[in-house]
Every structure is written in C-alpha cells, then in structure tokens.
C-alpha cells in the first residue's frame, strides 16, 4: 500500500484553473494505477479521472472531459490533476486514490482530500 497526500486546492473564480498534486510514499508507485475522485456537500463521492500504472491509459468522467488532465511522474512519485475552465459545480473535496495495477480503487489507499471551491 502507498500513503497519499494531496495538495493544491483552493478558491478560484469560474473559468479559472487549478493544479492538484498527490504525493505518494513507497518504492513501487509505478505499479499503481492512480485516480482522482471528488465529493461535493450532500453528494456521494464520484469518479473524476484515472491513469493506469503504465500511464498508457487515462479515463475521465464525462463532466470533466476536455477540461481536466491527469498525469503522473513516476520519478517523483506524484500524480497531478490539471483543472481548467472550472465551474461552480466542480466545487468539492478532491481525493487521490491508488490501486495496485487494476482500477480497483475501493480496495486501495486514499488521501485525506483537498478542498476546491469555484466561485461564480
């Protein structure tokens, strides 16, 4: 298992950009698929984006396609989420998650979350 710490959240106006980062501990980071999820007040946690352990595949929720980009740097044990054209409905706590190879994040590790607030 890896330990995850998110950073980069904050307050931004609609149409703006933010970059979230997730730092992972452990020497086998490159063997883990990584994902971003978010949870808005009163709503269930939802999938945002994921990147495979080979970095060959990325997946996005329809609501963020074309606006968010997930990437990873195995040399630095980090995964990032570049968010652009932010909307008020993107306001949520964003969580980083890991899964050993396959996309099975429920069974993996989760960070503590970072708050993103988009003002209109």
């Amino acid at each position: 298992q890896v330990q995850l710490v998110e950073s980069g959240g904050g307050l931004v106006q609609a149409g703006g950009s933010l970059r979230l980062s997730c730092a992972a501990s452990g020497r086998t980071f490159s063997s883990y698929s990584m994902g971003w999820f978010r949870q808005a007040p009163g709503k269930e946690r939802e999938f945002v984006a994921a990147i495979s352990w080979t970095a060959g595949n990325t997946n996005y929720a329809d609501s963020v396609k074309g606006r968010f980009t997930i990437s990873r740097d195995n040399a630095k044990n980090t995964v990032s989420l570049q968010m652009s054209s932010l909307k008020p409905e993107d306001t949520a706590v964003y969580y980083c998650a890991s899964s050993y190879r396959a996309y099975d994040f429920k069974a993996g590790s989760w960070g503590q979350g970072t708050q993103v607030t988009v003002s209109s």
Side-chain angles (χ1 to χ4, degrees):
Q1 295 284 14
V2 296
Q3 292 186 325
L4 306 171
V5 178
E6 303 97 334
S7 62
L11 174 64
V12 64
Q13 288 189 332
S17 299
L18 275 177
R19 185 178 181 87
L20 305 183
S21 293
C22 175
S25 64
R27 293 178 291 179
T28 59
F29 176 74
S30 60
S31 296
Y32 285 80
S33 293
M34 301 298 296
W36 286 96
F37 294 75
R38 66 187 182 186
Q39 187 167 20
K43 295 187 177 181
E44 292 188 353
R45 190 172 298 186
E46 65 176 4
F47 168 77
V48 175
I51 186 166
S52 66
W53 65 284
T54 62
N57 292 313
T58 56
N59 300 87
Y60 297 92
D62 288 343
S63 59
V64 307
K65 277 182 182 176
R67 300 189 298 121
F68 291 11
T69 302
I70 188 171
S71 61
R72 66 187 297 158
D73 185 338
N74 288 343
K76 296 182 179 180
N77 280 16
T78 58
V79 61
S80 298
L81 185 69
Q82 178 67 47
M83 305 185 294
S84 303
S85 301
L86 283 161
K87 305 175 181 179
E89 51 264 43
D90 294 318
T91 295
V93 177
Y94 283 71
Y95 297 90
C96 175
S98 67
S99 173
Y100 184 72
R101 300 214 170 166
Y103 284 3
D104 186 15
F105 296 106
K106 289 184 178 179
S109 297
W110 291 76
Q112 82 289 349
T114 185
Q115 177 70 47
V116 172
T117 303
V118 184
S119 63
S120 57

